[in-house]
Amino acid sequence: MVYPIVKYGEPVLEREADDVTEFDTPELHKFIEDMFESMYAAKGVGLAAPQIGVGKKVAVIDVSNGENPKDKLVLINPRILKIEGKQVGEEGCLSIPGFREHVRRGKRVTVRAQNGRGEWFEMTGEDLLARAFLHETDHLYGRLYITHVSALKRDLIRRKVRKLQKAGDWS
Ligand SMILES: [Zn+2]
């Protein structure tokens, strides 16, 4: 099932999601599959549950865009353990469509998370994967990537989004 993507302005995107406490249930496995489906439908490389209106700490990532099954990652209750180096690159978000900004992020990032069966694992990613770990984990703590750009740029985006909302072009 493909869920519609919730857009910037919805409170669920800016509050910390709840920890997942029940694992390996048919509901959770189905939800994870639906998240992948929703992410591929929206042509994203990552999706966090709050982006489909569900305040739970679940995120999916696939930096290969569905090309390589090995790149399908599920992060439940993730925490960033280590950030090394720096990269600056353009970043966007399915919940803030039409905008992209340069964001400085770590180049090499280690995350600790649980999978759908509740097993903990650690994984280190570089470049785009490192960026996805940070971007999606941020989502689960209510932080959008625009919190990492200058106040000036953030205000500009806010104002443009407000205009779109008023015009009825943002829902
Ligand atoms: Zn996002």
Side-chain angles (χ1 to χ4, degrees), residues 131-142:
R131 189 176 285 279
F133 284 164
L134 294 169
H135 183 113
E136 301 312 328
T137 302
D138 265 358
H139 266 303
L140 302 179
Y141 288 86

Side-chain angles (χ1 to χ4, degrees), residues 74-95:
V74 179
L75 302 181
I76 300 180
N77 301 331
R79 273 181 187 281
I80 301 298
L81 290 186
K82 203 158 135 194
I83 301 177
E84 297 164 283
K86 289 262 184 301
Q87 58 170 323
V88 179
E90 269 206 341
E91 202 164 312
C93 179
L94 294 174
S95 295

Side-chain angles (χ1 to χ4, degrees), residues 13 46-48 51 91-96 105 135-136 139 143-145:
L13 290 174
L47 185 72
Q51 293 184 276
E91 202 164 312
C93 179
L94 294 174
S95 295
I96 318 176
R105 297 282 199 181
H135 183 113
E136 301 312 328
H139 266 303
R143 284 190 299 268
L144 298 167
Y145 82 91

Side-chain angles (χ1 to χ4, degrees), residues 47-107:
L47 185 72
Q51 293 184 276
I52 53 169
V54 177
K56 286 196 189 279
K57 287 202 181 88
V58 182
V60 296
I61 292 173
D62 183 351
V63 293
S64 81
N65 249 310
E67 297 285 313
N68 187 351
K70 276 195 302 199
D71 286 331
K72 278 180 83 171
L73 298 175
V74 179
L75 302 181
I76 300 180
N77 301 331
R79 273 181 187 281
I80 301 298
L81 290 186
K82 203 158 135 194
I83 301 177
E84 297 164 283
K86 289 262 184 301
Q87 58 170 323
V88 179
E90 269 206 341
E91 202 164 312
C93 179
L94 294 174
S95 295
I96 318 176
F99 296 90
R100 290 185 78 78
E101 293 292 340
H102 281 92
V103 181
R104 181 194 293 258
R105 297 282 199 181
K107 182 160 177 66

